[in-house]
Amino acid sequence: MVFVQTLLALVIIVAGAQLFVTEVQYFSVTVLHFPPAILALLLAPLATELPEKFNSIIWISRDKDTLAIGNITGAMAFQSTLPVMLGVLFTSWNLTFTWGTTGFLNAFSAILALLSGAILYHRAGSVGDANMQPLPFFVGGILYLIFIIVVLYHVFYLGISVS
């Protein structure tokens, strides 16, 4: 019975992911009239990590800190390996630095992600035995907000579109 439930859950996850990707592509191209990569770059962090954050918040409220930290680190380790590998292998990459293009937004998002990771890595290494403060973790949120502003500028001011 466990095997059947696991297989059924896997089928539902794959079907849900396929439905999500199809609908994001349809909504991006048909409704918003801009490249699906832009909407994917905005939604992917929310769609993939937000449920993990809510689970961790629930576990922390129940004094299960170890589960909360394990959940976050496991999700981050998974998100930084398998999906990235599949994306690199099976999608075309446009990482140009030409302002006003989808390639620029792709490259800019990669640079911001690496910068955010480097800042947090440096901060974690320099803390020693002291407790980490939450403020440095807002750096990723600030960089994400900057990315959203740049994307909105590209879409609404520069008129980047599907064509």
Side-chain angles (χ1 to χ4, degrees):
M1 192 62 166
V2 171
F3 178 74
V4 172
Q5 287 177 335
T6 303
L7 189 60
L8 182 62
L10 182 62
V11 167
I12 291 171
I13 287 171
V14 170
Q18 182 62 38
L19 178 65
F20 179 76
V21 169
T22 302
E23 293 305 313
V24 164
Q25 184 174 14
Y26 170 80
F27 186 74
S28 179
V29 172
T30 307
V31 177
L32 299 176
H33 304 292
F34 60 83
I38 293 172
L39 191 58
L41 287 170
L42 291 173
L43 291 180
L46 297 175
T48 58
E49 292 301 322
L50 200 57
E52 303 303 330
K53 304 301 183 265
F54 282 123
N55 284 340
S56 292
I57 289 169
I58 290 168
W59 284 333
I60 285 175
S61 71
R62 295 179 181 164
D63 291 329
K64 296 181 179 180
D65 297 356
T66 304
L67 285 175
I69 295 297
N71 183 46
I72 295 293
T73 55
M76 292 174 82
F78 175 78
Q79 290 294 338
S80 65
T81 55
L82 185 64
V84 172
M85 179 206 56
L86 293 173
V88 168
L89 287 176
F90 297 112
T91 61
S92 61
W93 281 81
N94 179 3
L95 299 174
T96 62
F97 288 104
T98 306
W99 181 256
T101 64
T102 304
F104 173 81
L105 294 174
N106 292 339
F108 186 59
S109 71
I111 290 168
L112 289 179
L114 291 171
L115 178 63
S116 178
I119 289 169
L120 290 176
Y121 180 76
H122 173 70
R123 177 67 180 127
S126 66
V127 135
D129 289 337
N131 290 335
M132 289 190 74
Q133 299 300 316
L135 191 58
F137 292 100
F138 287 111
V139 170
I142 291 168
L143 293 176
Y144 186 58
L145 182 62
I146 290 169
F147 177 71
I148 290 172
I149 291 168
V150 170
V151 166
L152 293 175
Y153 177 81
H154 274 70
V155 170
F156 294 114
Y157 186 73
L158 297 179
I160 193 170
S161 68
V162 175
S163 54

